[in-house]
Amino acid sequence: MSDHLVAGLEPPYYTVVFTSHLVENADGYGETAKRMAELVKQVPGFLGYESARTPGGLGITVGYFRDEEAIAAWRANLEHQGAQRHGRAEWYRRYSVHIGKVERSYDFERE
Amino acid sequence: MSDHLVAGLEPPYYTVVFTSHLVENADGYGETAKRMAELVKQVPGFLGYESARTPGGLGITVGYFRDEEAIAAWRANLEHQGAQRHGRAEWYRRYSVHIGKVERSYDFERE
């Protein structure tokens, strides 16, 4: 889980919204998720990510990418592809992915 | 919090990613969040939302809208505007909003 809030990005950029429900015994999921969170940082054009999971419920991860090329590079990563296959075979009950081009964003920070 | 996964939408549509950290004593936040979750359903072109908050940490809410007009209608709602002002004055330590146009999405469901 990331406790870091991604802010202050300059449009245009892309959000990849990944929402999921896990199966009840998703053994090994946490380790692989942690590894992917490290691996994605090596992708040129990766800008950050955020992740929250309500205990026992829905998980939402948002990845931020500079352009389509960065998203394609992450999709093409072989270790990532292996983790995705494993996820479909063992860990995920459902998931959805929504890839959006961001033209507008804003931030608030308490003084 | 929504435990429902929004899936099977037909692009194009819009994702509004709202990420936040609350102050420590965000009294009344939960009730208002619940009220907003009901209120937004009345907006024509609202397609659904998902919300997850890691205990004590980052909250992520994703709203799905058919078009810019639907987002503008929600932004123009006076009760929503009041809740936003209250949030900036009392509840939020930080937040960010990223509005993306979705051209591509996919879903997985275990059989």
Side-chain angles (χ1 to χ4, degrees):
Chain A
M1 298 291 162
S2 161
D3 201 42
H4 182 71
L5 195 152
V6 177
L9 300 178
E10 203 64 42
Y13 54 89
Y14 287 78
T15 48
V16 178
V17 174
F18 179 81
T19 59
S20 66
H21 278 289
L22 300 177
V23 298
E24 277 191 28
N25 294 304
D27 294 338
Y29 170 78
E31 280 166 51
T32 298
K34 202 183 255 182
R35 167 69 183 148
M36 290 303 115
E38 283 304 310
L39 193 62
V40 70
K41 291 179 188 166
Q42 299 171 15
V43 174
F46 170 73
L47 303 174
Y49 85 102
E50 295 155 332
S51 195
R53 184 173 292 278
T54 297
L58 181 71
I60 306 178
T61 296
V62 183
Y64 299 83
F65 294 86
R66 177 52 66 198
D67 48 33
E68 290 273 16
E69 289 66 33
I71 297 172
W74 177 229
R75 192 183 300 117
N77 181 288
L78 292 179
E79 192 176 340
H80 181 211
Q81 289 182 358
Q84 288 181 312
R85 273 194 301 276
H86 205 88
R88 284 189 292 270
E90 310 238 355
W91 296 321
Y92 292 116
R93 193 146 61 81
R94 298 181 63 175
Y95 67 70
S96 289
V97 184
H98 312 266
I99 299 164
K101 183 177 185 182
V102 177
E103 301 282 6
R104 199 162 79 250
S105 66
Y106 38 101
D107 301 304
F108 166 78
E109 183 159 12
R110 182 169 298 275
E111 289 176 9
Chain B
M1 298 293 161
S2 160
D3 200 42
H4 182 70
L5 197 152
V6 177
L9 299 179
E10 202 64 41
Y13 55 89
Y14 287 79
T15 48
V16 177
V17 174
F18 179 81
T19 58
S20 66
H21 278 288
L22 299 177
V23 299
E24 276 190 31
N25 293 304
D27 293 339
Y29 171 77
E31 280 166 52
T32 299
K34 203 182 251 180
R35 169 67 183 149
M36 291 302 115
E38 284 304 311
L39 193 63
V40 70
K41 290 179 187 165
Q42 299 171 15
V43 174
F46 171 73
L47 303 173
Y49 85 101
E50 296 155 332
S51 195
R53 184 174 292 278
T54 297
L58 182 71
I60 307 177
T61 297
V62 184
Y64 299 84
F65 295 85
R66 177 53 65 198
D67 49 32
E68 290 273 14
E69 288 66 33
I71 297 172
W74 177 229
R75 192 182 301 116
N77 182 288
L78 292 179
E79 191 177 340
H80 180 211
Q81 289 181 358
Q84 287 180 312
R85 271 194 304 275
H86 205 87
R88 283 189 293 269
E90 309 238 355
W91 296 320
Y92 293 116
R93 194 147 59 81
R94 297 181 63 174
Y95 67 70
S96 291
V97 184
H98 311 266
I99 299 164
K101 183 176 185 183
V102 176
E103 300 282 7
R104 199 162 77 250
S105 65
Y106 37 102
D107 302 304
F108 165 78
E109 184 159 10
R110 183 168 298 277
E111 287 178 10

